[in-house]
Amino acid sequence: MFTKILDVYARIINVTIIVLMYLLMFSVALQIAGRYIPFIPRYLWAEEIARMSLIWVIFLGSMIGLRERRHFYVDFLPRNMSPKVNLVLDILYYVLLFAVSYIFLRFGFRYWKMGTIQQSELTGINLGWIHASVPFAGFTWTIFLIEQVARLISGKGLPEQQEPEEGELA
Amino acid sequence: MIFDPAVVGIILFGGLILLIVLRIPVAYALALAVVPVLLLEPRLTPVMLLQRMLKSYDSFILLSVPFFIMAANVMNASGITNKLIRFSKALVGHLPGGLAHVNVVVSMFFAGISGSSTADAAGIGSVLIPAMIKEKYDRFFTVAVTACSSVMGVIIPPSIIMVVWGGVSNTSVAALFLAGFVPGVMVALSQMGLVHIFSIKRKYPKEHAMDWKELGLSFKAAILPGITPVIIIGGIVGGFVTPTEASLLAVAYALFLALFVYRTIKPGKVSSLLLDTAKLGGLSLFAVGTASIYGWVLAYYRLPGFMVQAIGYITNSPTVMLFIIVGLFLIVGTFMDAIPAIVIMTPLLMPLAEYAGIHPLHYAISGIVALSFGLITPPYGLCLLISSEIGGINSMDAIKEVGIFLAIMLLVLSAIVVFPGLTMFLPRLFMPEFL
């Protein structure tokens, strides 16, 4: 049940990401067009939309990345350590990631509040719309982490930490 | 409370390394590593740091990162990569060890279109690694040549990591693109030399005799994707478009070829390519954000100035200094991805480069080439990991062959450090007004 709800939640995030990517391409295209095609004005909001979409794409990507365990990590330690050591490492992993999520949620909330009373200099858009990405990330990481811990405790196991795939990073 | 920069440095670097060893993803480790300093320093607040993070995304140039990844994804999904492979086969397939040469040459062409080395390793590797193994090339050699040649992806323009470097250090991305060209070709030539020696020694086969007709035909097939670099680099250097706009043009052109000319992908597939792109781009840019938090705290405690004091007394010879800087980039590149490494290290070492009188472009290209080698060095060499996975081996097994390639590539890097003319030649020729 829990997993199913989260699947839907993740799908909504995915669809949002796709929409934002189209928006990103459209707004940058509009900026080029505005410079070269005389009858298209140079819209200031296009730049603002591009920036806002990028920030949201980054944070939404980090959320899906955490659920699919795709964030890049380094394998310094040997894989074949005793189960006890691995358990300690797992616990540390979740404690530390919950800590980051908490920081982003708690202080991101404060940051969002600050944003809601500010307007962007370019177009007057309320900065709360942009700042909201930070606490939202903290919140979503938290529930995805809870999902993983629940799976671990119930013995269902996690999706393997993903090896890098096609196109990943530079 | 005021700290000594040395103490802060130890807390930050030590904490980061510890967290990375504990398998915390690098992007989160960067954010966590500043927490102890936050707790000890009342003047720094978490909100300030979050503000810092969002501010780092406020750069128009970073928009090009997802676009360059998208262009590479479209190329791989649409079979454009295969056309480049066919042309490379016609070009160098007649040499002993033909397929290995093809592997290097096609990486060079691919690099001219895509800005990503991992897309290179994945796209080319998935075709050429099985083909090479079928023709009785050693598995380890096959993986090594695929991984090592893919580093050209970020050295030959366009390059995602050059874009990030330009954004972080206010260096002209157009000049960086021009400057990377000669070093990239040098890497290719040195690798072909090495492939030749391996091929003679291990008696690797030729593909076929030189066939001029096939060369002409495959050239014709590859010409449409082949002019992408002209559009991107020409557009930027000619001043028609910014690097960000050029990256979007690259996507538009690749999509145009894939959807309308070759019709190899369906319009419905575009959304899923966009999602893949956004996930990957989002992950790397998220690390840019946390790395800028980390870098900002370093700067807050004046660590860059402290580095000048600590290392500056050793030498003021530009060459020796650049070797030291390159050494640091090589070390950091082994355990961190190039993008966060640039965000942290570039501002940290910039004052040292300035102090020794190293030209920003020379500094940049030396650093970028050094960081690109991190893509093939364990424990965190993404290109090596990808190639090993395709080749069905453990990445540590190919370490001997990779080491030989790395040795010759380090020679190239040394040449780049010692002779600034190699990097400066093209920018001086085409855009003297920027230098």
Side-chain angles (χ1 to χ4, degrees), chain A residues 1-169:
Chain A
M1 184 64 192
F2 186 48
T3 311
K4 269 198 186 136
I5 295 174
L6 287 187
D7 280 343
V8 174
Y9 186 67
R11 203 169 308 148
I12 294 172
I13 293 179
N14 280 340
V15 171
T16 316
I17 288 176
I18 294 174
V19 172
L20 287 172
M21 283 297 284
Y22 278 114
L23 213 57
L24 198 61
M25 294 207 294
F26 174 72
S27 51
V28 175
L30 200 63
Q31 289 175 64
I32 310 183
R35 252 178 341 125
Y36 283 101
I37 305 174
F39 60 86
I40 296 180
R42 300 191 61 179
Y43 297 109
L44 280 178
W45 55 260
E47 202 172 313
E48 198 86 57
I49 292 283
R51 187 178 323 161
M52 198 164 134
S53 314
L54 180 71
I55 289 176
W56 272 97
V57 163
I58 293 167
F59 279 102
L60 293 172
S62 81
M63 299 169 209
I64 297 296
L66 191 73
R67 185 163 199 239
E68 296 176 358
R69 311 228 301 161
R70 294 170 82 124
H71 280 280
F72 317 110
Y73 70 103
V74 185
D75 235 354
F76 270 125
L77 301 172
R79 275 274 145 193
N80 49 356
M81 286 177 304
S82 76
K84 260 191 196 151
V85 180
N86 271 326
L87 183 68
V88 172
L89 278 174
D90 277 348
I91 292 173
L92 261 176
Y93 174 88
Y94 285 106
V95 168
L96 288 169
L97 283 184
F98 272 121
V100 188
S101 309
Y102 172 74
I103 294 170
F104 272 69
L105 180 57
R106 171 159 174 210
F107 295 97
F109 187 75
R110 204 176 286 173
Y111 182 52
W112 169 66
K113 279 270 175 203
M114 276 167 51
T116 53
I117 51 168
Q118 295 173 58
Q119 263 110 42
S120 115
E121 289 162 19
L122 269 180
T123 54
I125 189 182
N126 188 310
L127 286 185
W129 290 106
I130 296 175
H131 292 194
S133 55
V134 180
F136 187 67
F139 170 74
T140 308
W141 294 336
T142 309
I143 45 178
F144 285 159
L145 286 169
I146 292 173
E147 182 197 12
Q148 291 184 4
V149 173
R151 288 182 70 121
L152 274 182
I153 292 173
S154 67
K156 272 192 209 144
L158 289 180
E160 262 300 292
Q161 268 189 330
Q162 299 248 350
E163 290 291 334
E165 270 177 45
E166 191 173 326
E168 210 143 307
L169 265 190

Side-chain angles (χ1 to χ4, degrees), chain B residues 111-322:
Chain B
I113 302 179
S114 119
S116 152
S117 280
T118 41
D120 180 324
I124 295 172
S126 60
V127 180
L128 282 183
I129 290 178
M132 284 176 72
I133 290 173
K134 207 168 131 198
E135 295 203 5
K136 308 264 184 302
Y137 287 83
D138 298 79
R139 244 167 228 272
F140 301 156
F141 172 76
T142 303
V143 166
V145 75
T146 308
C148 296
S149 64
S150 67
V151 307
M152 277 183 280
V154 293
I155 304 177
I156 292 183
S159 153
I160 289 173
I161 74 174
M162 283 181 191
V163 165
V164 175
W165 188 294
V168 168
S169 68
N170 277 325
T171 313
S172 148
V173 174
L176 284 175
F177 278 5
L178 283 173
F181 189 76
V182 174
V185 173
M186 282 168 61
V187 170
L189 291 177
S190 70
Q191 290 181 346
M192 287 182 74
L194 197 57
V195 164
H196 189 74
I197 298 170
F198 265 106
S199 303
I200 300 290
K201 251 186 161 167
R202 299 190 180 176
K203 300 200 172 55
Y204 288 141
K206 292 177 188 178
E207 271 306 279
H208 44 63
M210 188 68 200
D211 177 349
W212 293 98
K213 201 175 148 213
E214 165 64 10
L215 185 64
L217 285 175
S218 61
F219 177 75
K220 228 175 107 190
I223 187 74
L224 280 178
I227 57 173
T228 316
V230 183
I231 299 176
I232 299 177
I233 313 299
I236 297 173
V237 175
F240 301 108
V241 286
T242 64
T244 306
E245 294 166 350
S247 66
L248 184 65
L249 277 185
V251 174
Y253 185 61
L255 276 176
F256 169 74
L257 290 181
L259 288 173
F260 302 112
V261 181
Y262 303 132
R263 300 199 190 153
T264 36
I265 62 174
K266 294 199 171 69
K269 178 100 168 73
V270 176
S271 292
S272 82
L273 284 174
L274 276 176
L275 181 61
D276 279 348
T277 304
K279 280 184 189 169
L280 303 172
L283 288 185
S284 49
L285 288 174
F286 179 66
V288 166
T290 52
S292 42
I293 291 179
Y294 188 84
W296 186 79
V297 175
L298 287 178
Y300 182 84
Y301 287 100
R302 299 181 198 289
L303 247 78
F306 177 73
M307 295 286 285
V308 175
Q309 282 173 13
I311 302 181
Y313 78 93
I314 300 176
T315 175
N316 53 14
S317 138
T319 307
V320 178
M321 185 61 87
L322 196 50

Side-chain angles (χ1 to χ4, degrees), chain B residues 413-430:
Chain B
L413 177 57
S414 308
I416 294 167
V417 168
V418 176
F419 305 109
L422 294 171
T423 24
M424 304 300 292
F425 169 67
L426 282 179
R428 269 194 195 126
L429 195 64
F430 285 103

